[in-house]
Amino acid sequence: MTQPPLHDRYAGLRADLGAAAAAALLVLVSVLVGRHIQDTRRTLFVHWPPLFADWDPHLGPGTPAAVLVAGTVVVYGPSVAARLRWRRLLLAAWASALAWTWSLALVDGWQRGVAGRLTTRNEYLTVIGRFHDVPAALRDFTHHIVSGSPDPWPAHIAGHPPAATLTFVLLDRIGLRGGGWAGAWCITVGATACVAVLVTVRALAGEQPARRAAPFLVLAPAAVWVGASADGYFAAVAAWSVALLSLAVTGRSSAWAVGSGLLYGLVCYLSYGLTLFALIGAAVLVAGRRGLRERPALLLLLLAGAVVVPLAFTLAGFDWADGYRLLVTRYYQGVGGTRPYGYWVWGNLACTTLTTGLATAAGLRRAGTALAHRPTPPRPETHPTTPQPPATPTEHRPTPTEKEPASAENRTVLAEHRPPPAEAQPASAEVRLAFLVAAALVAVLAADLSGMSKAETERIWLPFAMWLLAAGALLPRPRAWLAAQAVLALLLNHLLFTGW
């Protein structure tokens, strides 16, 4: 990315620090006001507002590893991300995210941090026995959502479409039984979300922004909740639905559109609220609209894929719309009907600040600036799937200082690793990245205003948080910001015992 003049860089740094300070102030106010409301009215139903957590300073077996991973990524992450071959970078990012998430989870120990997370009374594994006849359970699913119905589902089962529970039923059926395997599944799959975001950023904004984003996606405070909650798994499925769509619209293969639709359909049956990922998908379509104009069949393939999972569940007897309607009733029967909207409508944003870190707040400021001063609408070029033939002598005669055209074999290799055209236009690349991040922020705000996410959004909004983290690519001096992210995550995991 281009370097602004020195005085502009200092002004930008001051503005970044101001945005981070404002985010920190939001968290502080939410803690103080939330503490007062909970102490006087007892209506928040969280012990350490705005987070669903308890004050519990502790160390654990994961502490040394967490500190080691954090230090390594802070010191070496930016330089390694800049020089690794692209596919090796994706593998390294996934491995590093796994190490970071596992080490944070094990700060609480194996049982408290992993194996016991998905076996508590409101979690999915408690109802595995009720799915011995899966078709019958699906047909009967909506009859047990509302409190007061016969054998009502625990909170998380009632609060999600049945694909969420079926995931763990299937794990049980193939022999991966118990909380340990369920937690390992959520962590292992959830850690791939960072890879999906990197793939998308590279496809739409270019390789350099993706490389700069990689350490921020790895060293995310959100990892505290990815390990181990089912929402980490949901985040990965949603992220890959967007990633495949970005590959489809930028010319890789039309088949990716079908895969994107399939995963989006699954996302809608994992969590009602993740239908909002349509906003991020729409941003990808807008950013890649040139490819969409050249291949309009992509939309048909996307829609064809998207109807598969809904059709399967509908034919099996589950009515998504009826399930959501009953969920709203169940939500207001419980603590959701008591928790004050006036606090949580901004307290949720404080939760998101803790999930994404102060670096993301500063990155969002830069994203807003990039969009406000964008030179052109965000529109990447499509990438050719086959190399172009070399120029003939009548078209171009190389001068002595120019290189001769590469061989067909070498051009094929170069085409695979060639960064998107955005690399030649840094400002345009920043705008595309900012546009993608802004779409995720709009989805968060829509979820917030709905009133259906009062509290616990540090877990519920993990799928959106992964996309906000990509804003870190816009920041200069990445190591200082990465250090801030790592310190926040370590403090959260060692000072609090989170509920998820």
Side-chain angles (χ1 to χ4, degrees), residues 75-449:
V75 175
Y76 299 107
S79 58
V80 170
R83 70 171 183 264
L84 274 183
R85 280 174 167 251
W86 176 249
R87 292 181 180 177
R88 291 181 181 178
L89 172 60
L90 295 181
L91 182 60
W94 181 43
S96 301
L98 272 176
W100 178 236
T101 307
W102 271 109
S103 60
L104 289 174
L106 292 174
V107 168
D108 298 324
W110 169 252
Q111 184 61 35
R112 279 209 320 172
V114 179
R117 290 287 187 174
L118 294 165
T119 61
T120 58
R121 63 187 182 91
N122 286 318
E123 287 286 358
Y124 303 97
L125 268 64
T126 60
V127 299
I128 296 294
R130 293 174 63 175
F131 279 78
H132 60 278
D133 184 342
V134 172
L138 291 177
R139 289 192 299 270
D140 202 38
F141 193 87
T142 57
H143 298 156
H144 304 283
I145 292 177
V146 176
S147 293
S149 59
D151 297 320
W153 297 118
H156 284 191
I157 292 82
H160 293 80
T165 308
L166 277 180
T167 298
F168 299 101
V169 171
L170 292 176
L171 287 176
D172 183 83
R173 294 285 173 85
I174 65 174
L176 303 180
R177 299 182 178 88
W181 282 113
W185 166 265
C186 292
I187 293 173
T188 304
V189 177
T192 68
C194 76
V195 179
V197 177
L198 290 177
V199 168
T200 306
V201 172
R202 181 180 186 258
L204 297 179
E207 192 165 306
Q208 183 183 353
R211 289 178 178 277
R212 290 179 61 86
F216 289 96
L217 288 161
V218 166
L219 208 59
V224 173
W225 292 276
V226 172
S229 74
D231 294 84
Y233 154 54
F234 303 162
V237 178
W240 280 109
S241 73
V242 175
L244 296 186
L245 183 59
S246 73
L247 294 177
V249 299
T250 52
R252 268 70 174 189
S253 170
S254 298
W256 292 125
V258 179
S260 174
L262 282 169
L263 290 181
Y264 179 71
L266 175 58
V267 162
C268 293
Y269 280 74
L270 290 172
S271 172
Y272 294 105
L274 293 186
T275 54
L276 287 171
F277 253 76
L279 294 173
I280 303 177
V284 172
L285 294 177
V286 171
R289 62 187 178 274
R290 179 176 296 181
L292 198 59
R293 282 198 300 266
E294 294 175 356
R295 294 177 297 158
L298 286 176
L299 273 182
L300 294 177
L301 294 172
L302 177 66
L303 294 174
V307 301
V308 172
V309 173
L311 182 61
F313 274 97
T314 301
L315 293 177
F318 173 73
D319 186 331
W320 190 97
D322 191 41
Y324 181 72
R325 178 184 63 81
L326 294 170
L327 166 64
V328 173
T329 300
R330 170 71 177 262
Y331 184 76
Y332 285 99
Q333 285 178 326
V335 296
T338 304
R339 285 171 168 161
Y341 181 85
Y343 171 79
W344 287 111
V345 74
W346 58 274
N348 284 338
L349 301 180
C351 288
T352 302
T353 299
L354 290 169
T355 305
T356 58
L358 300 182
T360 300
L364 288 174
R365 184 207 70 80
R366 287 189 175 256
T369 300
L371 289 173
H373 299 92
R374 64 189 185 277
T376 56
R379 182 177 64 189
E381 301 287 341
T382 56
H383 309 310
T385 55
T386 58
Q388 299 298 316
T392 63
T394 58
E395 292 173 323
H396 175 69
R397 186 181 301 278
T399 65
T401 58
E402 291 179 315
K403 294 181 179 179
E404 293 294 328
S407 66
E409 180 182 356
N410 288 339
R411 284 198 313 274
T412 303
V413 174
L414 290 173
E416 177 186 352
H417 297 286
R418 183 186 301 136
E423 289 300 307
Q425 302 174 2
S428 183
E430 291 183 1
V431 171
R432 292 191 196 93
L433 175 57
F435 187 66
L436 184 65
V437 170
L441 183 59
V442 170
V444 166
L445 294 176
D448 191 28
L449 294 174

